[in-house]
Amino acid sequence: VNSIYQDKAGFMWFGTFDGLNRYDGHTITTYKPDLTAPTSISSILIFAITGDETGNLWVGTTGEGLNHYNTATDKFTCLRADSADPGSLNSNNIQSVFVDSQQRLWVGSDRGVSLMDLSGWNPGQPASFRHFLTSVHGSHARVADIYEDRDGQLFFGTNHGLYMLPADLTGQPVSINDEAGNTLRTSI
């Protein structure tokens, strides 16, 4: 099990190396790709799960992008990286997903973090992402975890240390570690 999430309806969701699993308290339903169904999940390698205020899920996969699961229709929409589209995801290898207090979706990957405002997006429409932490010390930042504090500041746990982004999204995230990797700010 790579990730666990409980949705607004009380279902438990488990992301595994063999699909997305929903437990209703009695039975487990497993979601796997179906080549004959374009609205199935895109991969069996599930790494991250979160929900949004509408009760739908965002599911990050390893290698096959980000899936939006519409709980009302029981259908998935897959969003993928596209090198020809700078507004697409920055990678298909999703490490973490997080919805902040402003209803913005943050997607951590092996190439930084992508941000999408959920307020105007609907399945079937193109997604538009902004990108942060695309390069740190000349290499890609792998964003494994995302956290928002009570002041709206965002924190990104990466393979290069801990980074902070102010709530107003000005500039790029800044490192809060010294050269030895020690945390400089302790009141998170």
Side-chain angles (χ1 to χ4, degrees):
V1 175
N2 298 315
S3 58
I4 301 172
Y5 179 77
Q6 184 173 19
D7 69 16
K8 290 182 174 190
F11 293 116
M12 295 297 300
W13 294 86
F14 303 93
T16 73
F17 288 110
D18 195 31
L20 177 66
N21 298 273
R22 181 184 68 199
Y23 180 61
D24 65 7
H26 301 285
T27 60
I28 293 177
T29 302
T30 302
Y31 295 89
K32 294 183 179 184
D34 179 351
L35 298 176
T36 64
T39 59
S40 71
I41 196 165
S42 64
S43 175
I44 60 170
L45 301 172
I46 309 303
F47 223 78
I49 309 166
T50 196
D52 60 29
E53 75 175 359
T54 64
N56 296 319
L57 297 183
W58 293 91
V59 181
T61 72
T62 300
E64 294 296 329
L66 178 69
N67 288 262
H68 172 262
Y69 175 68
N70 185 318
T71 55
T73 63
D74 196 36
K75 295 181 192 267
F76 292 87
T77 300
C78 184
L79 305 174
R80 288 191 171 93
D82 178 356
S83 60
D85 179 4
S88 72
L89 281 171
N90 58 6
S91 174
N92 288 322
N93 293 311
I94 310 303
Q95 306 286 308
S96 56
V97 288
F98 179 77
V99 176
D100 70 13
S101 61
Q102 304 291 316
Q103 291 308 298
R104 299 175 298 202
L105 176 67
W106 295 89
V107 182
S109 73
D110 63 345
R111 294 183 177 264
V113 65
S114 299
L115 164 67
M116 180 174 78
D117 186 353
L118 294 177
S119 63
W121 183 80
N122 290 309
Q125 293 181 332
S128 180
F129 289 92
R130 287 176 56 192
H131 306 289
F132 300 89
L133 283 173
T134 55
S135 179
V136 175
H137 307 300
S139 66
H140 296 294
R142 187 179 68 249
V143 178
D145 206 4
I146 304 167
Y147 175 78
E148 180 182 22
D149 73 9
R150 63 177 169 246
D151 297 325
Q153 290 183 322
L154 291 153
F155 295 85
F156 306 108
T158 78
N159 58 321
H160 295 287
L162 187 61
Y163 285 77
M164 180 185 73
L165 180 66
D168 63 5
L169 305 183
T170 55
Q172 286 290 315
V174 295
S175 175
I176 60 173
N177 302 300
D178 64 14
E179 290 181 14
N182 300 311
T183 302
L184 298 174
R185 179 181 164 168
T186 58
S187 59
I188 295 176

